[in-house]
Amino acid sequence: HQHVRYNPLKDQWVLVSPHRCKRPWSGQTEPEPEELSDEKNPLKAGAVRANGQKNPNYTSTYVFPNDFPALLERVPEPPPSEHPLFQMSQAKGTCRVMCFHPDSKMTISLMTVDEILSVIEEWIRQTQELGRRYTWVQVFENKGSVMGCSNPHPHCQIWASSYLPDEGKIKDRCQKEYFIKNARPMLMEYLEQELMRKERIVLENQSWVTLVPYWAVWPYETLLLPKQHVQRITDLDEVQKQDLAIMMKELNTKYDNLFQCNFPYSMGWHGAPTGPSAKPGDSPHWVFHGIYLPPLLRSASVKKFMVGYELLAQPQRDLTPEQAAEKLRGCSLVHYKYV
């Protein structure tokens, strides 16, 4: 029966309505994504982008400044606010694009573990460099046109900002409050409980666990958690990086196998804030983690819409997190294209 579940990481509730899975669907279906011609792909090796810059003939990862950035490094200070209801504050930053692989048809699920490890290593380098200057470094990937991705070439974005964005601010507050009250990092205790219950575990290796969180909003949302307390991606050791590459490949393979499609999602990493004053071990309440937010609900062509009640009241889901985890567990680790 329907019920609400609490998300302590974001201090919000989600409505779970499993009986709605029986509802017939006659609404919008998503078309098959069109393949991008290599001739028109501005992210491929050697291509000339819209601003006239030419990509090198890269063979692994490649990072370059976003040609249309949302954040710029040099901007004037806004005028002082004359009323508390009309506040502005300075927002400085930089935006970069990172290609994972030179092959436009490649995805994380099809890449080798070593190739994925190269992606992780580059994420770490970018976070180290940008984290010296900026308070927040957000690595994220939008995959698939249904998630607003305009180019199917395997790539992500890295936005660094001089301020702490809302998601980071909320998670910082919630984890800090929990740590002060319980003297333990919230997500380490949560993982301990999930490993005992085993209801929502999807994948596990010696360093990482992938699970559908108890408070998941998106149908097949997953959370990647380290077994050892890690505050930032820059804290990962060699074994943790290798195991993370394996975990990412296995999870993305399961995602693709679920509906036998190139599974769309938005994903990213959250860790302790960075900046000039940040130091190793300075945020004991923080646990570094990954989030995958896929929109597909019933099939490769039927997605979850976040509209109406979700926008005006609270998040709502049909499939229970336990059902989602069971379906993902049942998916093969051999990609459907190779069967």
Side-chain angles (χ1 to χ4, degrees):
H1 301 285
Q2 74 267 10
H3 57 279
V4 289
R5 296 190 184 193
Y6 182 60
N7 178 354
L9 190 57
K10 294 180 64 177
D11 191 22
Q12 70 175 21
W13 292 81
V14 55
L15 172 62
V16 184
S17 312
H19 57 282
R20 278 171 56 89
C21 290
K22 299 175 183 177
R23 181 173 61 117
W25 182 256
S26 57
Q28 178 177 315
T29 57
E30 302 301 320
E32 284 283 327
E34 295 181 10
E35 286 198 4
L36 180 69
S37 165
D38 250 8
E39 294 177 5
K40 299 179 180 178
N41 179 11
L43 298 184
K44 73 171 186 175
V48 177
R49 305 196 305 276
N51 64 353
Q53 295 290 318
K54 184 177 181 180
N55 300 332
N57 290 314
Y58 62 92
T59 57
S60 180
T61 60
Y62 169 55
V63 181
F64 61 91
N66 193 314
D67 296 332
F68 304 97
L71 289 161
L72 298 169
E73 294 184 304
R74 294 179 179 84
V75 289
E77 188 85 31
S81 301
E82 297 178 357
H83 192 282
L85 295 179
F86 301 93
Q87 296 187 48
M88 281 194 292
S89 182
Q90 190 175 59
K92 289 186 176 182
T94 189
C95 301
R96 295 176 179 178
V97 175
M98 173 180 157
C99 296
F100 296 161
H101 197 282
D103 186 347
S104 299
K105 294 182 173 62
M106 197 58 70
T107 62
I108 291 289
S109 58
L110 302 177
M111 288 166 62
T112 67
V113 170
D114 283 346
E115 288 170 337
I116 300 170
L117 184 59
S118 295
V119 171
I120 295 169
E121 296 278 14
E122 188 59 47
W123 283 338
I124 291 171
R125 281 191 290 269
Q126 293 294 316
T127 303
Q128 284 174 331
E129 178 200 337
L130 294 171
R132 295 189 192 102
R133 291 179 286 152
Y134 292 108
T135 301
W136 189 257
V137 180
Q138 183 61 65
V139 175
F140 66 96
E141 178 192 2
N142 293 326
K143 179 168 175 267
S145 57
V146 69
M147 295 306 285
C149 181
S150 58
N151 191 320
H153 190 97
H155 73 286
C156 73
Q157 298 189 54
I158 305 167
W159 292 16
S161 61
S162 59
Y163 59 93
L164 192 59
D166 286 349
E167 289 290 310
K169 191 179 297 181
I170 292 166
K171 287 188 175 183
D172 186 59
R173 173 179 62 81
C174 291
Q175 289 181 95
K176 187 175 291 183
E177 288 174 354
Y178 189 92
F179 188 83
I180 291 170
K181 184 177 179 180
N182 299 281
R184 289 195 68 187
M186 176 200 295
L187 288 179
M188 297 311 297
E189 182 160 3
Y190 172 66
L191 177 58
E192 183 180 287
Q193 290 293 318
E194 286 285 21
L195 288 170
M196 287 170 53
R197 297 164 193 256
K198 299 188 183 301
E199 295 175 281
R200 289 168 290 273
I201 304 296
V202 176
L203 289 164
E204 180 182 358
N205 62 29
Q206 65 176 334
S207 303
W208 297 89
V209 174
T210 296
L211 54 86
V212 178
Y214 177 77
W215 52 77
V217 171
W218 292 89
Y220 293 95
E221 177 179 335
T222 52
L223 184 64
L224 276 66
L225 291 169
K227 287 186 172 180
Q228 299 297 318
H229 187 194
V230 176
Q231 295 178 24
R232 299 179 177 92
I233 192 172
T234 51
D235 299 334
L236 298 180
D237 62 28
E238 296 304 315
V239 173
Q240 289 169 324
K241 287 186 279 189
Q242 179 76 19
D243 287 348
L244 181 55
I246 294 169
M247 180 73 68
M248 288 175 59
K249 181 174 177 64
E250 290 181 347
L251 174 60
N252 279 271
T253 298
K254 282 182 174 287
Y255 271 152
D256 284 4
N257 286 342
L258 182 63
F259 297 131
Q260 296 205 343
C261 68
N262 191 2
F263 205 73
Y265 56 72
S266 282
M267 67 80 64
W269 304 100
H270 281 169
T274 52
S277 61
K279 295 179 176 58
D282 61 355
S283 301
H285 56 289
W286 261 96
V287 176
F288 172 71
H289 58 279
I291 314 105
Y292 279 80
L293 307 169
L296 298 185
L297 173 60
R298 300 181 180 214
S299 67
S301 60
V302 177
K303 72 173 185 177
K304 165 70 177 175
F305 287 87
M306 291 293 183
V307 296
Y309 189 85
E310 289 89 347
L311 294 180
L312 297 169
Q314 68 180 153
Q316 182 274 334
R317 63 176 292 124
D318 298 346
L319 194 70
T320 68
E322 295 74 29
Q323 290 170 325
E326 185 179 7
K327 290 189 177 187
L328 287 172
R329 275 197 304 271
C331 293
S332 173
L333 291 175
V334 179
H335 199 277
Y336 73 90
K337 288 186 176 181
Y338 298 148
V339 175

